[in-house]
Amino acid sequence: MARVDDGAYRDDTAFLAERFEAHRDHLRAVAYRMLGSLSEAEDAVQEAWLKVSRSDTDAVRNLGGWLTTVVGRVCLDMLRSRTARREEPLGVHLPDPVIGSVDGAGPEQEALLADSVGLALLVVLETLAPAERLAFVLHDLFGVPFEEIAAIVGRNPAAARQLASRARRRVRGAAPVPDADLALQREVVEAFLRAARSGDFDALVEVLDPDVVARSDGGAQRPGVMLHGAAAVAGQAITFARFASSARLVLVNGAVGVVATAEGRPMSVMAFTVSGGRVASLDILTDPERLDRLDLAVLDG
């Protein structure tokens, strides 16, 4: 039995479950950044609970920190298993987007996006080795000490620090830093949509960064593609301008983006990274199976 502040006693498992639930949103956020998948993040948190429920936690002083390392270890195993199963290199694969209202994310989205990790950053994290991703996510995004990270990856603290350093260099070189002003983001995205709808190639080029990167993920039946440069991206945007005609502004991972629908069903999610007042990256999910699983309640009404 476990003693509580009022002097009463409670069943150990029920008490631990209550404490675990208090940290669930944080643990989901950690797992989402580690895995880039909402469903796998839920699985990782549940697996962590199974491990925790069989552990002796009496000596744990910082339960939140300890749970973070437990989830990190579960996610590392999942990433390594994912890598081992991958026999051939995949094409473009986008992480699951988190959709919120353009007027502000709901409580669940707020918990997942507490530090505004955009989709473009998650795309870069997908390219890291599992141990590098863990070191970067736990240390740089959640402040876990390298001593604790070292125990998870089976290396010394200096090696864990080096893992995070390598990952940090990759991220800085590949993920554009987004403009923080949501009003500016909205202005740029709306300018992009107007130009796409009207087929104005020059206006599209003007709103795009010269080195813009556009990635699309259509799922297993429609392999993803990647485009580089304002001219190539503008040309493709005009080709698919029919999607822009049904566009709804939303927040995609905390940044202004677009959901395009047809007959009430989502056709695409477009995640914009606006940097320096222009579109620096554009990530488009068109995989029908994954779109059907997204929580798009913000579009209701």
Side-chain angles (χ1 to χ4, degrees), residues 138-188:
L138 291 192
H139 181 268
D140 284 37
L141 301 185
F142 293 99
V144 176
F146 285 119
E147 290 76 13
E148 296 179 21
I149 294 172
I152 299 174
V153 297
R155 307 188 189 190
N156 60 45
R161 186 184 299 273
Q162 185 61 31
L163 286 172
S165 179
R166 283 205 303 267
R168 200 176 299 120
R169 288 195 296 270
R170 295 274 297 277
V171 168
R172 287 176 177 170
V177 178
D179 293 332
D181 186 345
L182 286 179
L184 173 61
Q185 291 183 25
R186 183 167 185 163
E187 181 181 327
V188 172

Side-chain angles (χ1 to χ4, degrees), residues 4-283:
V4 293
D5 291 341
D6 62 4
Y9 287 84
R10 299 177 57 182
D11 178 75
D12 284 338
T13 301
F15 184 51
L16 181 59
E18 184 177 301
R19 297 177 71 198
F20 184 89
E21 285 302 315
H23 294 281
R24 180 177 287 273
D25 286 346
H26 167 76
L27 299 178
R28 287 179 65 241
V30 173
Y32 173 60
R33 285 153 181 73
M34 283 289 299
L35 300 169
S37 165
L38 295 170
S39 61
E40 288 184 2
E42 293 285 1
D43 292 343
V45 172
Q46 187 59 29
E47 176 66 21
W49 162 245
L50 294 177
K51 291 180 180 295
V52 169
S53 65
R54 297 191 293 263
S55 301
D56 182 1
T57 61
D58 289 344
V60 176
R61 293 185 177 181
N62 178 4
L63 183 65
W66 183 70
L67 291 175
T68 298
T69 62
V70 172
V71 168
R73 185 173 285 109
V74 170
C75 291
L76 180 62
D77 290 343
M78 293 174 71
L79 287 174
R80 285 172 171 167
S81 176
R82 182 193 293 176
T83 302
R85 293 194 308 268
R86 190 171 294 169
E87 298 179 357
E88 298 179 1
L90 294 176
V92 174
H93 174 77
L94 298 181
D96 290 344
V98 178
I99 310 300
S101 168
V102 74
D103 297 317
E108 186 172 342
Q109 289 83 8
E110 290 280 8
L112 277 173
L113 302 172
D115 52 2
S116 299
V117 175
L119 206 65
L121 174 57
L122 289 176
V123 170
V124 178
L125 295 186
E126 293 280 311
T127 68
L128 301 178
E132 290 177 342
R133 184 167 186 168
L134 179 133
F136 177 83
V137 169
L138 291 192
H139 181 268
D140 284 37
L141 301 185
F142 293 99
V144 176
F146 285 119
E147 290 76 13
E148 296 179 21
I149 294 172
I152 299 174
V153 297
R155 307 188 189 190
N156 60 45
R161 186 184 299 273
Q162 185 61 31
L163 286 172
S165 179
R166 283 205 303 267
R168 200 176 299 120
R169 288 195 296 270
R170 295 274 297 277
V171 168
R172 287 176 177 170
V177 178
D179 293 332
D181 186 345
L182 286 179
L184 173 61
Q185 291 183 25
R186 183 167 185 163
E187 181 181 327
V188 172
V189 171
E190 288 177 337
F192 175 94
L193 293 176
R194 285 195 302 272
R197 288 169 179 149
S198 63
D200 190 334
F201 180 86
D202 291 337
L204 274 169
V205 169
E206 181 64 26
V207 81
L208 295 170
D209 186 276
D211 298 318
V212 62
V213 175
R215 292 168 287 249
S216 68
D217 178 358
Q221 303 303 317
R222 293 179 290 177
V225 297
M226 183 180 298
L227 298 174
H228 296 266
V233 174
Q236 193 75 354
I238 290 175
T239 300
F240 291 97
R242 62 182 183 276
F243 291 122
S245 64
S246 61
R248 298 275 299 277
L249 290 179
V250 295
L251 290 184
V252 182
N253 286 57
V256 177
V258 168
V259 171
T261 60
E263 298 180 352
R265 296 191 62 183
M267 301 299 293
S268 67
V269 173
M270 304 174 70
F272 292 79
T273 302
V274 176
S275 183
R278 291 184 173 184
V279 178
S281 69
L282 178 58
D283 295 294

